[in-house]
């Protein structure tokens, strides 16, 4: 994208520059107006390209948040942007367990249509990985387009995830062994909310809790007891048949689904039929 003013005073010949609240507030009135025009126009183009209902990247949003904006400029043209920042999310795994996580997130990503497939997007992400010291599988992605999903699969081998109602994508690799330690070091990890989820039939799933034991009605109508807190287990336990999820959790999958292969692009159900994802 071309602008009517010179880019040199702003970017000093650097191809990738990083902008945050402190840097923007330190600019002169003229330079702040110029960088504001760049950010607002690139943000508008990004929203249009992604068919978003509103523009999510503007100068005012950067100045009033702790977000970082990476801008790619070359040959007197602004070619791409990448906005990063932390976001508190509630993440549901494939069996209904809920975790509160606080990942560093890709909040907006756009490469101008005239210069796509030139490696600009990858260079933006790699600059973020290097500067923020957070690898791609430890990042959440806000409403990623099919192009971005394909990009992440191709360049960073990321494909498996559980779809969420909040439209953020957090790849399964985020929860690899050691993610709790990552939380202590860099805030990558999460606080587990669901202590335990056990399964029978979602149609007859009922939950009661007490300090000592939990009674749940199973699919055959019999009362069954599950251990309580004194045995090291949450009293808010579920008892149900394989992989039926509590229907109150707004689970995106059919409650009769037995297995999932998100990365492979198919769902295998109890009837052993394959459905394309």
């Amino acid at each position: 994208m071309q602008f009517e003013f010179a880019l040199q005073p702003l970017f000093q010949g650097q191809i990738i520059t990083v902008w945050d609240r402190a840097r923007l507030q330190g600019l002169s009135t003229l330079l702040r107006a110029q960088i504001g025009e760049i950010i607002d126009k690139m943000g508008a183009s990004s929203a249009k390209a992604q068919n978003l209902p509103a523009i999510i990247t503007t100068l005012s949003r950067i100045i009033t948040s702790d977000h970082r904006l990476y801008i790619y400029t070359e040959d007197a043209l602004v070619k791409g942007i990448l906005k990063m920042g932390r976001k508190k999310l509630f993440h549901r795994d494939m069996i209904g367990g809920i975790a509160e996580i606080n990942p560093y997130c890709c909040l907006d990503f756009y490469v101008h249509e005239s210069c796509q497939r030139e490696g600009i997007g990858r260079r933006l992400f790699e600059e973020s990985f290097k500067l923020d010291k957070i690898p791609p599988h430890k990042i959440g992605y806000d409403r990623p387009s099919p192009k971005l999903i394909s990009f992440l699969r191709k360049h960073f081998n990321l494909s498996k995830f559980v779809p969420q109602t909040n439209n953020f994508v957090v790849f399964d690799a985020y929860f690899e062994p050691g993610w709790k330690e990552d939380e202590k070091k860099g805030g990558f990890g999460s606080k587990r909310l669901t202590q335990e989820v056990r399964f029978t039939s979602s149609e007859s799933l009922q939950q009661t809790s007490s300090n000592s034991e939990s009674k749940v009605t199973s699919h055959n109508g019999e009362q069954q007891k599950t251990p309580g807190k004194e045995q090291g287990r949450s009293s808010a336990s579920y008892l149900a048949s394989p992989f039926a999820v509590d229907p109150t959790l707004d689970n995106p999958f059919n409650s009769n689904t037995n297995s999932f292969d998100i990365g492979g692009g198919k769902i295998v159900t109890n009837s052993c039929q394959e459905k394309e994802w």
Side-chain angles (χ1 to χ4, degrees):
M1 185 178 291
Q2 193 166 14
F3 293 86
E4 296 181 353
F5 48 84
L7 301 182
Q8 175 65 21
L10 277 170
F11 302 111
Q12 302 292 318
Q14 296 181 338
I15 293 179
I16 298 178
T17 52
V18 187
W19 301 85
D20 57 14
R21 176 170 48 199
R23 184 172 184 179
L24 291 169
Q25 289 176 339
L27 295 175
S28 67
T29 302
L30 175 61
L31 291 180
R32 190 186 300 179
Q34 290 177 344
I35 192 66
E37 182 178 341
I38 291 172
I39 294 173
D40 291 352
K41 286 188 175 181
M42 291 294 285
S45 295
S46 176
K48 181 179 179 180
Q50 299 178 67
N51 294 316
L52 300 179
I55 300 171
I56 59 176
T57 299
T58 63
L59 175 66
S60 62
R61 284 176 178 260
I62 301 296
I63 278 186
T64 57
S65 70
D66 59 355
H67 298 161
R68 277 181 170 175
L69 184 69
Y70 293 78
I71 301 179
Y72 189 105
T73 57
E74 192 175 27
D75 302 326
L77 298 172
V78 180
K79 296 187 174 183
I81 59 170
L82 172 65
K83 185 170 73 170
M84 306 293 291
R86 290 211 174 270
K87 199 81 170 178
K88 184 174 290 187
L89 305 172
F90 289 95
H91 180 272
R92 183 173 294 116
D93 61 30
M94 70 170 63
I95 60 172
I98 303 174
E100 181 184 357
I101 61 177
N102 186 34
Y104 198 56
C105 292
C106 169
L107 302 173
D108 198 7
F109 172 58
Y110 170 68
V111 175
H112 194 271
E113 289 77 7
S114 65
C115 49
Q116 293 180 0
R117 299 185 181 277
E118 295 180 7
I120 293 172
R122 180 165 184 170
R123 291 186 65 181
L124 282 167
F125 271 104
E126 288 178 343
E127 187 69 17
S128 168
F129 303 153
K130 181 175 68 175
L131 181 64
D132 300 320
K133 297 179 173 58
I134 301 177
H137 67 283
K138 290 295 186 181
I139 291 175
Y141 300 85
D142 185 10
R143 299 176 184 269
S145 66
K147 284 185 178 180
L148 180 53
I149 291 292
S150 176
F151 172 89
L152 294 170
R153 181 185 298 112
K154 175 182 177 181
H155 294 293
F156 306 116
N157 197 30
L158 294 173
S159 61
K160 294 185 178 181
F161 65 92
V162 178
Q164 306 291 307
T165 56
N166 58 21
N167 294 316
F168 271 81
V169 166
V170 178
F171 289 98
D172 292 356
Y174 182 95
F175 301 98
E176 66 184 5
W179 60 268
K180 290 185 178 180
E181 287 70 23
D182 288 339
E183 179 186 26
K184 297 176 182 178
K185 296 177 182 177
F188 305 151
S190 67
K191 176 183 177 182
R192 178 58 56 180
L193 299 183
T194 303
Q195 298 288 333
E196 176 189 353
V197 179
R198 298 170 61 204
F199 300 94
T200 54
S201 166
S202 62
E203 288 82 357
S204 60
L205 186 63
Q206 297 179 5
Q207 175 189 359
T208 59
S209 61
S210 65
N211 290 333
S212 60
E213 65 181 20
S214 177
K215 293 184 178 181
V216 184
T217 303
S218 69
H219 65 288
N220 59 13
E222 297 178 355
Q223 291 288 329
Q224 301 187 26
K225 294 183 179 181
T226 58
K229 288 182 179 179
E230 74 279 0
Q231 296 187 29
R233 182 176 290 172
S234 168
S235 60
S237 296
Y238 293 107
L239 190 64
S241 84
F243 293 102
V245 180
D246 180 359
T248 65
L249 294 178
D250 294 324
N251 186 37
F253 301 106
N254 185 299
S255 61
N256 293 322
T257 300
N258 244 356
S259 62
F260 309 91
D261 184 0
I262 305 304
K266 65 182 180 181
I267 297 175
V268 181
T269 65
N270 281 342
S271 61
C272 297
Q273 296 175 340
E274 294 188 0
K275 297 182 180 180
E276 294 301 320
W277 179 251

